[in-house]
């Protein structure tokens, strides 16, 4: 049996964390005494993930150096996007040689700090699913749309009224509106489904194009504390919120 595998998205530019990210990658921005990347790696290792993949683009050498100087107890492979940022879907496709050895793998944004129970999340997997998306009931302007079985059917921006779905005439008011939380588990079959897609594409666009043919489900925990550090305008505010979660780990 192969080790549980996870990929950490660490290639982003981190524009909302400037000026820090003018001189370092978002993944190495310190929060509660350690880089974001370290917090995610430690949580994944504690959850039993024995093989990690980290993609790099913005200041890639800094991430390589950090990983070479810090031993987290598991092998960590680098998926190099230094030549071109491939967005979230393209990043997974590009890392396929590093991910295809596992039947399923986790994908985790580097700027997400949460108290997610990964054992619960793994148990939420649906047999035959292409992916499971961690979601929350938080208020936002952009929602994923799910049917009564929590299968993905579309997306909407409630501020503009835009709806995207492979199902013609989908009524958003008849769907469950839930916010994506930046963590997903995928079947390795997704790597074959991605082959016809271009080199660079967002993963949510991919899901919305294939969800009528390949089941994508939501996993909605009863309780979830989560901080998306990359969306904070103030790093001090992000630090306060993240520290509360990390202190309870």
């Amino acid at each position: 049996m192969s080790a549980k595998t996870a990929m950490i998205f660490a290639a982003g530019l981190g524009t909302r964390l400037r000026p820090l990210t003018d001189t370092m990658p978002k993944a190495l921005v310190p929060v509660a005494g350690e880089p974001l990347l370290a917090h995610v790696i430690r949580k994944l290792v504690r959850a039993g993930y024995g093989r990690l993949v980290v993609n790099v683009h913005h200041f890639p050498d800094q991430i390589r150096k950090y990983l070479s100087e810090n031993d987290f107890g598991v092998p960590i492979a680098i998926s190099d996007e230094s030549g071109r940022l491939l967005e979230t879907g393209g990043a997974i496709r590009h890392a396929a040689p590093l991910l295809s050895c596992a039947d399923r793998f986790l994908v985790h944004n580097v700027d997400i700090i949460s108290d997610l129970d990964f054992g619960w999340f793994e148990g939420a997997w649906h047999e035959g699913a292409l992916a499971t998306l961690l979601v929350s009931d938080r208020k936002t302007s952009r929602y994923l749309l799910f049917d009564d079985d929590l299968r993905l059917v579309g997306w909407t921006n409630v501020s503009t009224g835009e709806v995207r779905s492979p199902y013609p005439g989908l009524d958003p008011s008849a769907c469950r509106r839930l916010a994506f939380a930046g963590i997903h588990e995928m079947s390795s079959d997704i790597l074959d489904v991605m082959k016809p897609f271009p080199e660079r594409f967002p993963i949510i666009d991919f899901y919305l194009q294939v969800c009528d043919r390949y089941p994508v489900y939501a996993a909605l925990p009863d309780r979830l504390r989560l901080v998306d550090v990359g969306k904070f305008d103030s790093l001090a505010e992000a630090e306060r919120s993240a520290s509360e979660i990390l202190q309870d780990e």
Side-chain angles (χ1 to χ4, degrees):
M1 181 187 235
S2 61
K4 289 201 302 183
T5 299
M7 178 174 184
I8 302 171
F9 283 153
L13 302 178
T15 53
R16 295 189 69 167
L17 294 177
R18 284 175 175 164
L20 280 175
T21 49
D22 287 336
T23 56
M24 69 169 65
K26 176 171 64 174
L28 297 187
V29 168
V31 170
E34 279 199 301
L36 285 167
L37 181 59
H39 290 303
V40 175
I41 290 175
R42 293 190 200 286
K43 186 167 178 67
L44 290 171
V45 171
R46 286 197 301 270
Y49 287 87
R51 187 171 178 276
L52 304 181
V53 176
V54 176
N55 72 331
V56 297
H57 170 79
H58 189 51
F59 295 110
D61 291 342
Q62 289 188 32
I63 295 178
R64 290 180 184 276
K65 183 173 185 291
Y66 177 79
L67 291 175
S68 70
E69 293 175 350
N70 292 271
D71 182 8
F72 291 97
V74 298
I76 302 176
I78 295 290
S79 180
D80 192 348
E81 297 175 35
S82 53
R84 185 188 186 200
L85 191 60
L86 299 176
E87 298 197 48
T88 48
I92 295 165
R93 178 180 166 173
H94 184 70
L98 303 172
L99 299 170
S100 58
C101 61
D103 292 334
R104 283 156 49 186
F105 56 88
L106 186 89
V107 176
H108 196 302
N109 289 3
V110 77
D111 49 12
I112 296 293
I113 292 176
S114 78
D115 63 356
L116 175 65
D117 178 342
F118 282 101
W120 170 87
F121 188 52
E122 289 175 52
W125 182 262
H126 290 251
E127 192 64 37
L130 190 68
T132 301
L133 315 183
L134 182 69
V135 297
S136 67
D137 223 351
R138 66 183 171 84
K139 189 173 181 180
T140 183
S141 59
R142 297 174 179 86
Y143 292 97
L144 294 173
L145 301 173
F146 297 89
D147 65 16
D148 291 339
D149 294 324
L150 290 184
R151 178 170 171 171
L152 181 66
V153 293
W155 172 95
T156 188
N157 183 328
V158 295
S159 299
T160 64
E162 181 185 0
V163 176
R164 295 170 56 199
S165 172
Y167 298 97
L170 181 74
D171 179 5
S173 66
C175 303
R176 292 201 64 178
R177 299 189 314 187
L178 298 165
F180 178 49
I183 301 172
H184 19 185
E185 187 163 18
M186 303 177 185
S187 164
S188 59
D189 292 343
I190 204 168
L191 303 173
D192 286 330
V193 180
M194 285 179 168
K195 284 180 178 177
F197 279 71
E199 182 185 30
R200 185 174 187 264
F201 61 97
I203 190 62
I204 295 298
D205 287 0
F206 167 82
Y207 287 144
L208 293 172
Q209 289 187 51
V210 306
C211 64
D212 58 335
R213 292 172 286 137
Y214 301 95
V216 175
Y217 289 96
L220 176 63
D222 293 332
R223 176 184 168 278
L224 177 68
R225 290 189 299 165
L226 182 145
V227 175
D228 184 343
V229 176
K231 289 187 176 178
F232 273 85
D233 291 319
S234 162
L235 188 58
E237 185 183 358
E239 173 111 15
R240 283 193 297 272
S241 298
S243 294
E244 292 176 4
I245 295 173
L246 293 165
Q247 284 170 4
D248 294 337
E249 283 285 293

